[in-house]
Amino acid sequence: MTFVRILCAAGLLGAALGAGLCLGSEPLSPGDLVAALGGDDVFARLLRDWRLPRVLAAGLIGALLGVSGTMFQGVFRNPLAEPFLLGSAPGAALGATVAILLPLPLPPLVALPAFAFCGAFGATLLVLGLARALGVREIAGLLLAGVAVSAFLAATRSFLMLSLSDETIGLQVVLSWTMGGVQTPFWSELAGFAALAAVGLALAFGCAHGLDLLGLGEDAAVNMGLDLRRFTLGVLTLASALVALAVTWGGTIGFIGLIVPYLARLWGGARHSISMPLAAMIGAATMMLLDGVARAALPPAEIPVGLLTALLGAPFFLVILAKWSRR
Amino acid sequence: MISRRAVISGGIASVLGAVAPWPARASGWPRRIVDALGREVEIPRRPERIVPVFSSNTEIVAALGAADRIVGIDGLTHWPPEIADRPAIGNRLGFSADRIARLGADLVILTPARHAASLLLRPLATIGVPAVVMTHATVSEVLGNIVRIGAIIDAEPAAGALVRDLRRRLDGVATRRSGRSPMRTYFETGANARGQSFSVRPGGYTDDMLRLAGGVSVFPELSGLTQVGGEAVARAEPEIVVVAGGPREAAMIRARPGWDTIPAVARGRVITVPRGLFLIPGPRIAEGVELLARALHPSAFPEAA
């Protein structure tokens, strides 16, 4: 049964990859795509060396956001927990802004993920710390703390953008991070991105058993030998790292970390050893498809994919909220 | 301190200074050129499918007799009429390397405005479509761009003839109005519905055109921000107000609160010039200079009256 689900998800992934390749300012039919890929003209080169790496990058971003969302929801045992709402994505965006705008003695490919991670992790700890200091126990309170911290971080980022960007590329690059748009990597950059993502996802899948125990309740988990404090901190660190990696190549793309884990649980059940790989595959397929739509919706321009995910995700969030509050 | 007059006449001399014949007359293919960003670009063979991005580049390519080789344009380009129906590869929201590739372009000529360079250069380099970046800080550089584009699209004779003609016309205007003192001008390049108005940027090609036509901006010290208010215009005491636009823009000037106290406005010394002639750094600049010179110094052009 599990095998069938994984197989179906893999099929979905392949279909999304094909759709992502077909979508553009002038969509191709699958037949056209196959014919065009084999050619040696400019358009064939565009498909192979520009669109394909972009679609794959979108897929990796979706997988990272889906899995990190699953981890956040597992730790907080709540379907409303999401990297975007708990401060980690806005924190990563602030870190990325600092890395882009301040002159640093580090190459951008190191500085960007490192600062994004510091921002993501710092913001998550800040939200949790504030919630604890204020005596908040309910998830609603945690989300509200996240709202406050996110607003603060966004204001800080806007101030940095206004005061540090010059007339050159700075502001535009930072804006594309803010609105969420998949960057197109060169093949060599994609290889580095994919290697980091693979390590991160493998480590994340290693947390599956602990998350299952936590799902039984904190007391039960402790009784079964889980070091609650260490495990929670480890999972949040790792989830922040995944978010930071996703933000480095895609900017702040909201709600994927909310929708995808929900669908993965709906389809694969509560066991994280199944729901996490499913979340990775569903997340990848969703992002490849949505990024394609973002490229094809308003030709010849493209719209930031973060706007699409928010348009779809915000109503979805409300649906989950309604279900959860009727519990 | 250098007098304003000395600065002005020096500026005109530099405007009409020699246009560097760059690159040195190329004949065979491939041709290598260094563009305005200092990038070395190789053009493997004579371009047959050209995508000029922005009106200025499109107008230059068309004026060199290569309109039939233009396969795509920017969505905001409407001149000359025979290219207006070409597919658009970009608009206010951005530009599409995807569509440029679909058109099978073999040369893209662009300008670093509206992020065209940051959006297009990386994908075009990846897929191997040569892209040449033009800038147009001055009238002299615009004339140089005609020579450069002529060289890369294999239209050197047409480019040489066009530049000679434009320079002859600009020299002709200078001769006709020589001896007359420059008209102190408030040149408004744009305004918006929120009541903000913008003056010509000193040292830019539009400012060059104003000086070639026998005018001088009343805001020679602006840099960066070019927004000016009614009080500043009143204090600067322009002899004439020139608005890039049509009757609607001229009416907007008169309707602004307080602007009727500006002597030039009160005396009806408000004229309009077509935006396409003054805000597109292409082959129509000489037409713009001739038009504006006749308006600023009508007595120098008796036959036009």
Side-chain angles (χ1 to χ4, degrees):
Chain A
M1 203 50 209
T2 305
F3 179 71
V4 173
R5 286 200 191 104
I6 298 284
L7 206 64
C8 283
L12 190 70
L13 204 57
L17 176 69
L21 281 173
C22 285
L23 286 167
S25 68
E26 282 158 79
L28 300 169
S29 72
D32 290 345
L33 176 69
V34 173
L37 273 172
D40 191 35
D41 54 357
V42 168
F43 189 62
R45 288 202 294 277
L46 178 105
L47 286 177
R48 286 195 299 258
D49 293 332
W50 189 253
R51 199 182 284 178
L52 181 58
R54 160 101 181 228
V55 174
L56 294 175
L60 286 174
I61 291 166
L64 290 168
L65 290 175
V67 169
S68 66
T70 308
M71 294 167 85
F72 275 110
Q73 295 181 10
V75 165
F76 296 115
R77 279 165 291 146
N78 191 291
L80 295 173
E82 200 253 357
F84 198 69
L85 297 172
L86 287 172
S88 92
L94 176 61
T97 305
V98 171
I100 295 165
L101 292 179
L102 288 182
L104 298 165
L106 286 170
L109 272 179
V110 177
L112 210 53
F115 275 68
F117 169 72
C118 292
F121 190 53
T124 307
L125 283 190
L126 187 62
V127 170
L128 292 178
L130 279 174
R132 175 169 298 193
L134 298 171
V136 171
R137 294 228 164 267
E138 284 288 301
I139 183 76
L142 200 62
L143 291 176
L144 286 176
V147 168
V149 168
S150 296
F152 183 84
L153 294 172
T156 311
R157 191 190 55 211
S158 299
F159 177 74
L160 284 178
M161 284 162 61
L162 279 176
S163 54
L164 291 179
S165 67
D166 48 27
E167 281 189 17
T168 55
I169 197 164
L171 194 61
Q172 204 245 349
V173 172
V174 179
L175 265 179
S176 80
W177 250 269
T178 311
M179 294 193 280
V182 178
Q183 312 290 311
T184 306
F186 292 130
W187 280 112
S188 56
E189 294 170 335
L190 183 70
F193 178 29
L196 284 175
V199 171
L201 291 176
L203 289 173
F205 295 158
C207 300
H209 182 61
L211 287 171
D212 284 346
L213 292 183
L214 204 53
L216 303 171
E218 289 191 359
D219 294 338
V222 172
N223 283 339
M224 293 173 88
L226 190 73
D227 182 343
L228 195 64
R229 223 183 135 75
R230 232 184 93 195
F231 181 74
T232 305
L233 195 68
V235 169
L236 289 180
T237 309
L238 189 55
S240 298
L242 298 191
V243 170
L245 196 56
V247 165
T248 301
W249 284 100
T252 49
I253 297 171
F255 296 104
I256 291 293
L258 178 89
I259 302 175
V260 166
Y262 184 86
L263 294 177
R265 259 197 318 278
L266 206 64
W267 196 17
R271 280 186 55 199
H272 285 87
S273 57
I274 298 166
S275 74
M276 276 166 91
L278 275 182
M281 287 195 272
I282 297 173
T286 308
M287 272 306 296
M288 289 195 284
L289 200 60
L290 285 180
D291 182 54
V293 172
R295 280 183 278 115
L298 281 181
E302 61 178 69
I303 51 178
V305 70
L307 303 188
L308 280 185
T309 63
L311 287 175
L312 292 175
F316 201 91
F317 178 83
L318 294 176
V319 169
I320 301 178
L321 181 64
K323 279 193 168 176
W324 181 72
S325 61
R326 273 203 302 270
R327 251 185 347 169
Chain B
M1 164 133 186
I2 308 165
S3 75
R4 179 167 285 174
R5 178 67 58 80
V7 171
I8 292 160
S9 51
I12 288 174
S14 72
V15 164
L16 290 178
V19 171
W22 168 94
R25 277 191 72 81
S27 50
W29 302 92
R31 291 182 187 179
R32 273 188 196 80
I33 61 132
V34 176
D35 75 0
L37 299 185
R39 303 157 59 249
E40 186 174 307
V41 184
E42 183 182 287
I43 296 154
R45 42 190 174 269
R46 182 179 193 266
E48 300 294 345
R49 303 184 64 78
I50 305 171
V51 174
V53 187
F54 297 114
S55 304
S56 53
N57 300 320
T58 305
E59 289 191 19
I60 291 174
V61 172
L64 297 181
D68 56 333
R69 288 194 269 154
I70 295 176
V71 295
I73 56 170
D74 173 37
L76 306 182
T77 295
H78 307 292
W79 190 268
E82 69 257 36
I83 56 82
D85 62 340
R86 300 291 200 285
I89 61 91
N91 56 31
R92 266 178 225 290
L93 292 174
F95 300 90
S96 167
D98 189 334
R99 191 160 282 183
I100 291 174
R102 277 310 278 279
L103 292 169
D106 54 12
L107 175 66
V108 175
I109 303 171
L110 68 151
T111 299
R114 297 195 344 246
H115 304 299
S118 59
L119 287 171
L120 287 179
L121 289 183
R122 194 166 135 136
L124 292 179
T126 305
I127 63 176
V129 175
V132 179
V133 178
M134 298 281 155
T135 54
H136 40 72
T138 61
V139 164
S140 170
E141 194 177 11
V142 174
L143 298 181
N145 286 346
I146 295 173
V147 176
R148 291 184 254 276
I149 291 178
I152 58 179
I153 68 168
D154 197 27
E156 291 96 327
L162 178 58
V163 169
R164 274 193 300 281
D165 177 56
L166 294 178
R167 293 190 63 177
R168 184 183 52 72
R169 289 166 68 182
L170 295 176
D171 286 340
V173 170
T175 310
R176 294 291 280 273
R177 57 149 187 79
S178 65
R180 285 160 217 273
S181 54
M183 187 77 77
R184 292 175 42 73
T185 307
Y186 167 57
F187 191 115
E188 184 168 293
T189 53
N192 59 35
R194 291 179 297 284
Q196 296 165 325
S197 45
F198 299 87
S199 165
V200 62
R201 183 184 302 277
Y205 69 89
T206 307
D207 190 45
D208 277 352
M209 292 172 70
L210 172 60
R211 284 183 289 145
L212 287 167
V216 58
S217 172
V218 289
F219 296 112
E221 276 96 31
L222 291 176
S223 67
L225 290 176
T226 57
Q227 188 184 333
V228 293
E231 273 185 47
V233 175
R235 245 194 337 268
E237 296 177 351
E239 297 170 85
I240 189 166
V241 174
V242 178
V243 191
R248 200 176 67 93
E249 281 77 10
M252 264 170 67
I253 292 254
R254 291 189 207 96
R256 285 180 200 150
W259 280 56
D260 52 354
T261 63
I262 299 169
V265 178
R267 290 203 309 276
R269 296 279 285 151
V270 178
I271 62 165
T272 58
V273 291
R275 297 180 66 81
L277 299 188
F278 280 84
L279 301 177
I280 295 174
R284 288 190 286 162
I285 52 176
E287 189 184 337
V289 169
E290 288 169 342
L291 184 94
L292 183 57
R294 282 196 289 271
L296 295 179
H297 301 285
S299 62
F301 299 85
E303 78 285 358

